[in-house]
Amino acid sequence: MNARLSSLSTCVAALSLCIGCRPPGKPTSADIELKPEEVRDFAVLYRLNCAGCHGQDGKGNTALALANPVYLAIASDDTIRRVTASGVRGSLMPAFAKSASGTLTDEQIDILTREMRVRWAKPRETFGANPPSYAATEGGNATKGAGAYATFCAGLRITSARRKQASLLHCTTLS
């Protein structure tokens, strides 16, 4: 009887020690991978969606450097948010918003927009200058545009194949 009681008390003691332990194989919340729409960390969002083109630290790669204080002084939050969400037609910048068949939620786009400015905007580097807005607020002058195109672009198209390619790249916005 004494051996049974001793054995039983040993089992009870062992079980009481295990009460605070998690069973083997049960993942903790840190072990569970987030769904893409649940990611809220700027570094993760930027690395997965932006760094391939805009560079690891926003310093530029095949696309514009987003960690450029002058760009951030010119581009408003609304502009950055709109471009991120909807992309840029006729360029390699895709739309990232779910509403535009992308993968990011509006909240994730807001995180990217806010954190780019918090981390990379350096107002002191613009030396108090009042830079122009990123996008024109009024329509252009078609007559002046046609004149500028004729003067600076039209002649380039016929000089050589290489210049033709360059003119197509740089002058398509004027045509």
Side-chain angles (χ1 to χ4, degrees):
M1 171 113 174
N2 226 359
R4 276 188 161 177
L5 188 58
S6 176
S7 191
L8 181 61
S9 63
T10 303
C11 285
V12 168
L15 284 174
S16 65
L17 288 175
C18 292
I19 288 175
C21 301
R22 66 181 171 93
K26 182 177 181 185
T28 65
S29 59
D31 297 327
I32 299 172
E33 192 170 323
L34 293 174
K35 294 177 186 172
E37 62 271 6
E38 294 174 343
V39 175
R40 302 286 183 271
D41 183 317
F42 170 79
V44 173
L45 288 169
Y46 183 84
R47 181 176 44 83
L48 295 175
N49 297 283
C50 311
C53 296
H54 294 285
Q56 191 60 26
D57 294 317
K59 305 278 189 212
N61 191 4
T62 59
L64 174 75
L66 297 174
N68 178 338
V70 175
Y71 169 74
L72 291 170
I74 293 171
S76 68
D77 285 354
D78 289 339
T79 298
I80 296 169
R81 192 177 295 107
R82 180 179 36 77
V83 168
T84 305
S86 304
V88 177
R89 178 181 258 168
S91 79
L92 295 176
M93 177 64 185
F96 281 95
K98 283 189 173 247
S99 61
S101 300
T103 59
L104 297 178
T105 65
D106 290 342
E107 182 182 3
Q108 290 171 319
I109 292 171
D110 287 342
I111 290 167
L112 286 168
T113 301
R114 180 182 63 248
E115 290 299 316
M116 277 190 262
R117 193 162 305 284
V118 167
R119 293 165 189 249
W120 299 330
K122 296 177 179 138
R124 291 182 190 190
E125 289 191 22
T126 58
F127 301 106
N130 187 14
S133 65
Y134 181 76
T137 55
E138 345 178 311
N141 183 317
T143 304
K144 286 184 179 180
Y149 178 81
T151 302
F152 299 106
C153 299
L156 294 175
R157 291 178 182 255
I158 56 173
T159 57
S160 73
R162 187 173 185 145
R163 285 189 181 167
K164 183 176 181 181
Q165 288 175 340
S167 71
L168 291 173
L169 289 173
H170 298 292
C171 293
T172 54
T173 58
L174 295 175
S175 59

